[in-house]
């Protein structure tokens, strides 16, 4: 298998990027075009009522790394949103020594071995039917399947038994809280806080029982074993459920759609990381490039601690900095896994510095599980195509509402070259006019 694939025809690449635009605009029809327009006014722009908006990757990384001047705690920071819901100690709203201590304690949950074990227990049965159904001629909605997978992981995190009803209820509950958040909103209303706390209380009840039982086979029990207090463990469970659910449900279908639209999907599915460093590197390049283009965290917030300069804009203590991750990442160019990686952009969608996303290994393990489940389609000489799709509207994390897949003739031959270059065409998007 060679390390590259022929570049997609310009019309296919344009069509693929247009679909990504539709996904973004479906979620944020006003905010998204406004954020993208701001970059034409400069890399750093002060916007009255919003804050100082950063559209440049190098500047964004500098802000994220400078925890002396910029913080997740304070006016306009993530703490304003999440502390009333999750409590004061959930990483999302911590800094300094307390943050470092809790992060060290939680890191044992996200080692490569730990996430492999969690996913191996909770996910394979959920996705095992993908390839057989596709090969049997069925159409499969990947959004629905990914939601089930994410809900199953929620059950594993909270100690709920993963019955069909529990999975659906857990997913719906998590989405009802995340759906309250908007990019332009600095805090939740009292009614929204009450709703979010009630939802998390229901989700956390089995987690609290598991923590008190101290069973290390459960995630809450493992948190107790790692030295977290009960309140810290419950806050961590809530944070991971809320921040990870929408991200994985958004990214997996967008990864598959983007790869199919640009002609990369067949080779991505054939790239078995267990077969050696070359296929592992290929999968890593495609997934990371899709993360860059989709930017699963469209914006990140920081509060200014002390007077400073962001780019060429002076900021004062109490100001709000909005990092437009979507612009920082997308402006590096269209989807191209063979392009050199800009160090300023690399992994920026997961943050930088002490707040780099702790749950990234778990998210990537779930991505791997879906790709592994789809691999038998490509191995059978068939090609996974997008049969139909529709974008989600009014959501926090841009996503497809449905992404229907089918198996078509074609695929990847033994040499790794696509047998039918036209497979997965995005030129005729059925079922969606955004």
């Amino acid at each position: 298998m060679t390390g590259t694939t022929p570049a997609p025809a310009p019309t296919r690449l344009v069509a693929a990027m247009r679909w990504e635009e539709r996904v973004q605009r479906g979620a944020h029809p006003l905010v998204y075009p406004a954020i993208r327009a701001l970059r034409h006014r400069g890399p750093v722009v002060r916007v009255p009522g919003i804050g100082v908006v950063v559209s440049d990757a190098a500047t964004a990384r500098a802000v994220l790394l400078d925890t002396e001047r910029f913080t997740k705690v304070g006016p306009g920071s993530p703490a304003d949103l999440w502390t009333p819901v999750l409590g004061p100690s959930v990483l999302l709203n911590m800094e300094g020594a307390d943050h470092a201590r809790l992060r060290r304690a939680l890191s044992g949950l996200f080692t490569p071995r730990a996430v492999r074990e969690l996913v191996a227990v909770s996910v394979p049965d959920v996705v095992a039917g993908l390839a057989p159904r596709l090969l049997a001629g069925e159409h499969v909605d990947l959004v629905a399947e990914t939601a089930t997978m994410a809900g199953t992981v929620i059950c594993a995190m909270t100690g709920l038994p993963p019955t069909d009803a529990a999975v659906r209820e857990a997913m719906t509950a998590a989405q009802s809280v995340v759906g309250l958040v908007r990019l332009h909103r600095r805090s939740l209303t009292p009614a929204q806080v009450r709703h979010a706390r009630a939802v998390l209380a229901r989700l956390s009840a089995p987690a609290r029982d598991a923590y008190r039982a101290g069973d290390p086979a459960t995630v809450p029990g493992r948190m107790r074993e790692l030295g977290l207090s009960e309140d810290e463990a419950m806050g961590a469970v809530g944070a991971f459920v809320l921040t990870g659910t929408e991200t994985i449900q958004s990214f997996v279908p967008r990864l598959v759609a983007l790869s199919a639209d640009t002609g990369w999907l067949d080779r991505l599915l054939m790239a078995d990381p267990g077969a050696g460093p070359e296929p592992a590197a290929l999968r890593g390049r495609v997934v990371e490039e899709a993360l860059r283009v989709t930017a699963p965290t469209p914006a990140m917030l920081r509060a200014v601690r002390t007077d400073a300069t962001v780019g060429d804009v002076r900021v004062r203590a109490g100001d709000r900095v909005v990092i437009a991750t979507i612009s920082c990442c997308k402006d590096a160019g269209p989807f191209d896994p063979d392009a050199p990686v800009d160090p300023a952009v690399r992994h920026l969608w997961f943050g930088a510095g002490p707040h780099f996303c702790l749950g990234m290994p778990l998210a990537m393990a779930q991505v791997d599980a879906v790709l592994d489940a789809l691999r038998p389609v490509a191995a059978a000489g068939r090609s996974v195509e997008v049969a139909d799709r529709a974008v989600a509207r009014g959501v926090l994390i841009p996503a497809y509402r449905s992404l229907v897949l089918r198996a078509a003739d074609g695929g990847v031959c033994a040499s790794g070259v696509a047998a039918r270059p036209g497979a997965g065409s995005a030129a005729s998007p059925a079922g969606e006019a955004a």
Side-chain angles (χ1 to χ4, degrees), residues 119 123-135 140 142 145-146 149 252 256 265 268-273 283 364-380 384 405 407:
V119 169
V123 168
D125 289 346
V126 178
V127 297
L130 288 178
R133 289 169 60 193
L134 288 167
L135 289 171
V140 175
L142 189 61
E145 300 298 325
T146 304
M149 178 183 71
V252 169
V256 170
L265 182 56
L268 172 61
L269 296 181
M270 289 296 289
D272 178 4
R283 177 181 285 193
M364 293 301 95
Q366 292 178 75
V367 171
D368 285 339
V370 174
L371 296 178
D372 290 344
L374 289 171
R375 184 186 302 122
V377 179
V384 176
L405 304 180

Side-chain angles (χ1 to χ4, degrees), residues 319-375:
D319 279 350
R320 184 195 204 203
V321 177
V322 179
I323 295 173
T325 324
I326 187 68
S327 289
C328 295
C329 294
K330 286 178 72 74
D331 285 353
F335 180 78
D336 183 1
D338 283 330
V341 178
D342 181 351
V345 177
R346 186 176 180 82
H347 292 154
L348 189 63
W349 47 89
F350 284 129
H355 290 287
F356 186 83
C357 179
L358 184 63
M360 183 193 76
L362 178 57
M364 293 301 95
Q366 292 178 75
V367 171
D368 285 339
V370 174
L371 296 178
D372 290 344
L374 289 171
R375 184 186 302 122

Side-chain angles (χ1 to χ4, degrees), residues 75-349:
S77 72
D80 275 1
L81 278 172
W82 295 120
T83 298
V85 175
L86 296 168
S89 303
V90 290
L91 291 184
L92 295 173
N93 54 6
M94 299 173 70
E95 290 285 6
D98 288 341
H99 173 268
R101 178 194 61 80
L102 184 56
R103 187 180 175 95
R104 280 195 303 271
L106 286 168
S107 62
L109 292 172
F110 296 99
T111 63
R113 178 180 177 180
V115 297
R116 281 198 304 268
E117 290 176 350
L118 177 62
V119 169
V121 169
S122 59
V123 168
D125 289 346
V126 178
V127 297
L130 288 178
R133 289 169 60 193
L134 288 167
L135 289 171
E138 287 188 42
H139 285 199
V140 175
D141 183 0
L142 189 61
V143 171
E145 300 298 325
T146 304
T148 300
M149 178 183 71
T152 303
V153 172
I154 290 177
C155 289
M157 294 290 291
T158 59
L160 281 167
T163 63
D164 289 346
V167 167
R168 288 193 300 271
E169 289 171 6
M171 193 69 188
T172 300
Q175 289 174 323
S176 75
V177 175
V178 177
L180 301 174
V181 180
R182 291 292 180 268
L183 294 180
H184 61 278
R185 181 178 290 153
R186 293 191 177 218
S187 62
L188 301 180
T189 67
Q192 289 171 332
V193 170
R194 287 193 297 271
H195 168 75
R197 294 183 69 171
V199 167
L200 287 176
R202 292 198 303 273
L203 279 177
S204 298
R208 197 174 295 276
D209 291 341
Y211 177 90
R212 291 174 179 175
D215 182 359
T218 67
V219 172
R222 178 70 175 136
M223 288 181 177
R224 178 174 177 173
E225 187 177 67
L226 292 170
L228 274 70
S229 70
E230 185 171 317
D231 287 345
E232 288 173 336
M234 295 307 99
V237 165
F240 289 133
V241 165
L242 295 183
T243 59
T245 299
E246 292 292 292
T247 300
I248 198 69
Q249 188 180 9
S250 163
F251 177 65
V252 169
R254 291 168 75 187
L255 163 67
V256 170
L258 190 57
S259 302
D261 292 346
T262 54
W264 277 89
L265 182 56
D266 291 332
R267 297 193 65 250
L268 172 61
L269 296 181
M270 289 296 289
D272 178 4
E278 186 176 347
L282 172 62
R283 177 181 285 193
R285 288 202 320 271
V286 177
V287 171
E288 285 203 13
E289 179 67 353
L291 282 164
R292 178 190 69 80
V293 170
T294 62
T297 306
M300 291 181 276
L301 305 177
R302 291 295 186 270
V304 179
R305 274 181 163 163
T306 61
D307 293 1
T309 302
V310 179
D312 59 359
V313 175
R314 294 290 300 172
V315 294
R316 296 181 177 180
D319 279 350
R320 184 195 204 203
V321 177
V322 179
I323 295 173
T325 324
I326 187 68
S327 289
C328 295
C329 294
K330 286 178 72 74
D331 285 353
F335 180 78
D336 183 1
D338 283 330
V341 178
D342 181 351
V345 177
R346 186 176 180 82
H347 292 154
L348 189 63
W349 47 89

